[in-house]
Amino acid sequence: MDKNGLQPAEESPVIVPKTGRTSRLFFVDHLRAALVILVVLHHVAMVYGASSPFYYVEPPFSDPLAFLVLLVFALVNQSWFMGTFFLLAGYFTPGSFARKGPGSFLKNRLLRLGIPVIIYYFVLNPISDLGVYLMPATLTGITDPPTWQEYPNLIGLGPLWFVAMLLIFSLGYAAWRMLTRKRTSSSMSESSLPSYLGIGIFILALALVSYLVRIVVPLGKSVLEFPTLAYLPQYFSFFVVGTVASRHNWFRTLPSSMGVVGFVTTLVAGVFLFPLAFSGHLFSLELSPALGNAMGNGQWQSAVYALWDSTFAVGICLGLITLFRHFFNGQGKFGRFLSQHGYSVYIIHIPIVVLLAFALRGIDLGSILKFGLASVIMVPTCFAVAYIVRKIPLASRVL
């Protein structure tokens, strides 16, 4: 594998079983593509739900129920989908390092991760940030058109914070491997599966560390242009777990029963812990104080929320890995297309969402219906534009 958790299908990770035959992990390709689509939908929800700051939002927000539905959709997504990207990236990092060696590995990471960050930071984010000038002046207070003098205020990481953080993790992994290279490297083993006790301890430890971190960095607070640094314990631990899982071939060998338990645990946590974190005010119009308490600052609701999202993230990863392995471990032309272009879609989708949302502004629909209509239009458009972008000379070497 030459990239990260978003690599295209032609560079899909492979496993060499004891028979010596090479087998592609098609189910990972499909899971990754599904996650990319979910990222696009997540940001479309930002346009019509305004549950967090975004490049372009569409007023007015006159339907409290629609706002709540999109808010819950965004919170549930945030609890696990980026952590899953880091898990996938961590899983394939050891094999990439072993095949390429330190020098080639680092060069590859700087090329495939560093260049997209630079392009988004200086080009795509300024384009996306023009969305605030497209919104009504009564909402933004901006009456003058943008000028070049505003350019320094428009640059930024945006969603490429994930790629930047993955680059940091990859460099850290390479440094660790080089510092420990005298250690005898263990071969891939399928004999050591994670135990339920071990998974439970991991969830509790992750919840505790997340709660402590959110005392200082509550959810919703951006630090150094990383908008979800409150989830750093999850991102880092999932990446590390991914590297451990790679050594033991867990994606191939996790029993299906563990996936079922993961889904059941996710459901139970969602039914009991998620509402409890909002002190019973989740369906109240007076949600703001309860939401603030759940996001951090040492509140007991924050501890419950951290336990919920840690449990949810681990459970749904177990469930989805085994589910996709069982039902989606083949690949046709359509699935291959989605996998090939997922990384490109992740990089370019924000300006597309902003411009299409502005183009659809005149359609008078409720927020939920507008979200559905916009999603049906924006997701295929993102993949179509990604297809065109990857035809640019040398672009496929990065994307």
Side-chain angles (χ1 to χ4, degrees):
M1 194 206 40
D2 288 335
K3 208 186 283 110
N4 52 58
L6 292 170
Q7 80 282 359
E10 68 267 22
E11 298 175 6
S12 181
V14 295
I15 295 294
V16 182
K18 294 179 181 178
T19 60
R21 296 176 61 188
T22 299
S23 177
R24 190 188 300 267
L25 298 180
F26 289 120
F27 66 92
V28 175
D29 293 335
H30 293 303
L31 177 56
R32 182 180 57 243
L35 288 171
V36 170
I37 292 172
L38 186 58
V39 167
V40 178
L41 296 178
H42 180 85
H43 288 132
V44 176
M46 297 296 101
V47 174
Y48 300 105
S51 54
S52 66
F54 193 64
Y55 297 89
Y56 177 87
V57 295
E58 184 170 300
F61 309 109
S62 57
D63 186 347
L65 178 60
F67 172 81
L68 180 62
V69 169
L70 294 176
L71 171 63
V72 171
F73 175 72
L75 291 176
V76 171
N77 291 340
Q78 195 65 67
S79 71
W80 71 277
F81 68 163
M82 300 312 297
T84 306
F85 275 129
F86 283 109
L87 177 70
L88 298 181
Y91 192 86
F92 302 113
T93 296
S96 180
F97 184 89
R99 289 192 302 274
K100 293 178 173 61
S104 181
F105 175 85
L106 292 173
K107 179 180 177 181
N108 175 269
R109 286 297 187 267
L110 290 171
L111 174 70
R112 295 186 180 272
L113 301 179
I115 290 179
V117 168
I118 292 172
I119 292 175
Y120 191 91
Y121 191 85
F122 291 105
V123 179
L124 296 183
N125 197 79
I127 293 174
S128 302
D129 257 339
L130 293 177
V132 71
Y133 292 91
L134 302 177
M135 293 165 60
T138 54
L139 184 66
T140 63
I142 299 176
T143 56
D144 297 325
T147 64
W148 281 109
Q149 284 72 24
E150 293 295 321
Y151 177 77
N153 299 322
L154 302 180
I155 60 177
L157 276 178
L160 270 287
W161 67 263
F162 162 73
V163 181
M165 186 173 287
L166 181 56
L167 178 59
I168 294 171
F169 288 174
S170 299
L171 296 177
Y173 177 83
W176 177 79
R177 284 291 299 268
M178 287 186 285
L179 289 172
T180 61
R181 57 187 169 185
K182 292 183 179 180
R183 187 187 63 176
T184 302
S185 58
S186 58
S187 59
M188 187 187 305
S189 169
E190 300 181 5
S191 60
S192 179
L193 289 170
S195 66
Y196 287 109
L197 176 61
I199 293 172
I201 293 173
F202 174 80
I203 290 173
L204 292 175
L206 176 59
L208 175 60
V209 175
S210 298
Y211 168 73
L212 294 175
V213 168
R214 292 171 193 178
I215 294 175
V216 180
V217 185
L219 287 165
K221 181 178 180 180
S222 179
V223 179
L224 299 176
E225 297 198 46
F226 289 91
T228 57
L229 203 64
Y231 275 104
L232 181 60
Q234 182 192 109
Y235 299 155
F236 179 71
S237 64
F238 273 38
F239 181 84
V240 172
V241 168
T243 64
V244 175
S246 175
R247 186 167 68 249
H248 298 292
N249 200 20
W250 284 349
F251 281 15
R252 285 268 188 200
T253 60
L254 281 173
S256 297
S257 59
M258 187 168 284
V260 173
V261 172
F263 276 134
V264 171
T265 303
T266 296
L267 178 62
V268 172
V271 170
F272 292 101
L273 294 178
F274 187 68
L276 180 61
F278 296 97
S279 309
H281 295 290
L282 181 60
F283 300 102
S284 169
L285 295 180
E286 300 298 326
L287 177 60
S288 296
L291 185 63
N293 290 337
M295 297 299 98
N297 301 307
Q299 304 294 331
W300 68 264
Q301 294 93 336
S302 174
V304 176
Y305 194 90
L307 180 59
W308 165 72
D309 65 23
S310 298
T311 305
F312 192 96
V314 173
I316 202 168
C317 283
L318 290 172
L320 288 177
I321 288 171
T322 56
L323 178 72
F324 274 70
R325 187 184 67 202
H326 184 76
F327 291 104
F328 305 104
N329 201 19
Q331 192 171 56
K333 291 183 179 180
F334 182 65
R336 182 177 177 83
F337 175 86
L338 296 179
S339 299
Q340 286 176 332
H341 298 87
Y343 186 47
S344 303
V345 167
Y346 186 91
I347 295 169
I348 67 173
H349 77 277
I350 290 293
I352 296 173
V353 168
V354 169
L355 294 176
L356 288 180
F358 178 70
L360 296 172
R361 70 192 183 282
I363 299 177
D364 186 16
L365 289 174
S367 296
I368 297 296
L369 292 177
K370 193 73 173 285
F371 165 73
L373 174 64
S375 299
V376 169
I377 295 172
M378 292 179 186
V379 171
T381 302
C382 287
F383 278 93
V385 174
Y387 173 81
I388 296 171
V389 169
R390 292 189 78 244
K391 294 297 183 182
I392 298 174
L394 302 179
S396 60
R397 293 186 60 187
V398 176
L399 303 174

